Amino acid sequence: MDTNRTLTLVAPTRLEGYGVRLRAWTDADLADLVALYDDPEMARWTPVASPFDLDAARAYLAGAREGLAEGRRVQLAVTTDGALPRGEVLLFRSGADERDLELAYGVGAAHRGQGLAGRAVRLAAEYAVREIRPRRVVLRIAAANAASEAVARTCAFELTDEPPVTRVSRGREAVLRTWRLRT
């Protein structure tokens, strides 16, 4: 693996495994995006707009398409049937080191507690290692986000001793710890 290259991301048509199907977002998903992201927990842990309405969903989908066109980011709907979005998994070049691939994820309130996040992260991480071949696959998680830390542990990620990463979104500062996929 070339550890000096910058990653270029291309969306897979579809990923399937572990009882989930990951697929591209479509314009038909706008109402589902609102249902997933207009939620206090999503607003607490993610940088999405809050409140999250149809205008926010349109802007979000446009941003996802732009990130994909630039080869920086892939955003996939998490489904169990290939149709109804229950969450999202994102793959993107890390801002700290563009040789690293960062994953992020969220599951809608109505679909939590079913293991969807863990299954989607596992599937996306395996795809990343096999097809994208980054230097490493990482998650950035706030220390207070116990649910996301549990997903990280379940999916073979381990907490690193790297200094926390600070990100600002919606005027709010988030201090995130780095987890890396064990090889």
Side-chain angles (χ1 to χ4, degrees):
M1 158 174 49
D2 178 3
T3 58
N4 292 316
R5 68 184 172 93
T6 298
L7 303 177
T8 299
L9 304 181
V10 176
T13 321
R14 174 193 210 157
L15 293 175
E16 257 184 85
Y18 305 111
V20 295
R21 294 177 185 173
L22 308 180
R23 64 161 177 82
W25 289 102
T26 70
D27 289 330
D29 295 323
L30 289 172
D32 294 317
L33 270 168
V34 173
L36 294 173
Y37 279 113
D38 193 34
D39 169 54
E41 284 300 298
M42 289 292 209
R44 180 177 180 196
W45 301 117
T46 70
V48 299
S50 181
F52 196 89
D53 57 15
L54 276 175
D55 287 337
R58 284 184 195 95
Y60 188 79
L61 189 54
R65 289 175 175 153
E66 180 181 313
L68 178 60
E70 294 172 354
R72 294 181 292 111
R73 180 175 63 236
V74 174
Q75 294 175 235
L76 300 168
V78 175
T79 77
T80 57
D81 58 5
L84 176 68
R86 298 168 190 267
E88 178 178 43
V89 65
L90 298 86
L91 300 86
F92 55 98
R93 291 193 310 237
S94 174
D97 188 325
E98 289 198 348
R99 299 170 299 168
D100 291 346
L101 182 74
E102 192 168 334
L103 297 181
Y105 50 91
V107 172
H111 310 290
R112 292 185 189 133
Q114 301 171 28
L116 291 171
R119 291 183 281 152
V121 166
R122 185 175 293 119
L123 185 60
E126 288 174 359
Y127 167 79
V129 168
R130 183 181 65 249
E131 300 295 330
I132 301 170
R133 299 183 9 233
R135 180 180 71 129
R136 62 187 189 153
V137 178
V138 299
L139 301 171
R140 299 265 198 294
I141 303 171
N145 191 340
S148 283
E149 288 191 343
V151 168
R153 284 186 195 92
T154 299
C155 295
F157 284 80
E158 62 188 1
L159 185 61
T160 70
D161 59 0
E162 296 171 37
V165 173
T166 302
R167 293 187 179 150
V168 178
S169 174
R170 297 188 324 262
R172 182 183 67 175
E173 195 172 87
V175 179
L176 309 172
R177 300 189 306 172
T178 301
W179 294 72
R180 72 172 179 84
L181 183 63
R182 289 191 297 267
T183 53

